[in-house]
Amino acid sequence: MPKKFIRRFLPSPDKIKDNRSLRYLGDRIHDPNLWHLNRRSVAGAFFVGIFCALLPIPMQMLIAGVLAMLVRCNLPISVVLVWITNPITMPAIFYFTYKIGCYLLGTPVSDIEFTMTVEWFEHELGRIWQPLYFGSIITGLFLGAVSYLTIRLYWRWHVTRSWHSRKLRKTRQQNH
């Protein structure tokens, strides 16, 4: 796996460990599994990050961080992946998960006009919360599992290809 490429975008573990706002985590933040870039850690981080990204709740990054610590997978990747849902992508993603929830629960899809007001949240969210959350959880679990398997398979393919090309280079050097 291209570790150098991934490391270029991640903050260093020491920088995060020294962060004053994270000191309340104590020694848990020093667990090396939270910082490793290996197949298991990165695949788990993708599952956690994508699952949390699809939850329509506040503080997704905090939940992704706590889950990453519980599962002991790569913390920075888990937290960064939550930004799949951002103010630009959020309406489309959550409307999709709402429609999935309606389909799975057998409820009709309501025509919803979204406005960022307290009144909308009080009135409309009360009507659509069940299919929205159910669809989000199911979609998050499904896409998290797909990303987990994809990362595991891609990592294995990449390592196997590297071994094969290394073996081929070695054979060519011995023949010359």
Side-chain angles (χ1 to χ4, degrees), residues 8-27:
R8 200 176 334 158
F9 296 103
L10 297 177
S12 72
D14 294 329
K15 187 175 182 178
I16 292 174
K17 289 175 190 174
D18 293 337
N19 188 321
R20 297 172 94 191
S21 62
L22 298 176
R23 290 211 176 122
Y24 71 93
L25 296 171
D27 290 336

Side-chain angles (χ1 to χ4, degrees), residues 33-169:
N33 289 316
L34 299 178
W35 312 103
H36 281 215
L37 286 174
N38 57 40
R39 182 171 53 167
R40 185 200 151 286
S41 181
V42 173
F46 266 77
F47 181 88
V48 167
I50 290 174
F51 174 73
C52 289
L54 293 176
L55 296 177
I57 55 176
M59 299 187 297
Q60 294 168 313
M61 290 173 58
L62 178 64
I63 293 167
V66 169
L67 282 175
M69 290 174 69
L70 290 173
V71 178
R72 298 177 66 197
C73 63
N74 190 285
L75 178 67
I77 292 174
S78 297
V79 172
V80 166
L81 282 171
V82 169
W83 281 94
I84 290 171
T85 50
N86 57 60
I88 295 169
T89 62
M90 202 177 293
I93 289 173
F94 290 146
Y95 184 68
F96 174 75
T97 61
Y98 166 71
K99 286 181 76 170
I100 295 289
C102 286
Y103 174 76
L104 293 174
L105 293 173
T107 59
V109 176
S110 300
D111 288 332
I112 304 168
E113 273 193 46
F114 179 74
T115 57
M116 191 66 109
T117 62
V118 174
E119 292 81 26
W120 185 92
F121 282 101
E122 289 175 350
H123 183 262
E124 293 295 326
L125 195 57
R127 283 187 327 122
I128 66 166
W129 75 270
Q130 287 177 327
L132 174 64
Y133 283 94
F134 185 69
S136 295
I137 289 170
I138 296 300
T139 305
L141 288 171
F142 176 75
L143 292 177
V146 167
S147 67
Y148 177 85
L149 291 172
T150 301
I151 293 296
R152 297 276 305 211
L153 291 171
Y154 174 75
W155 200 291
R156 183 181 176 101
W157 171 80
H158 187 273
V159 168
T160 304
R161 192 184 78 176
S162 296
W163 285 349
H164 180 70
S165 62
R166 197 175 318 138
K167 185 178 177 182
L168 193 60
R169 276 194 312 263

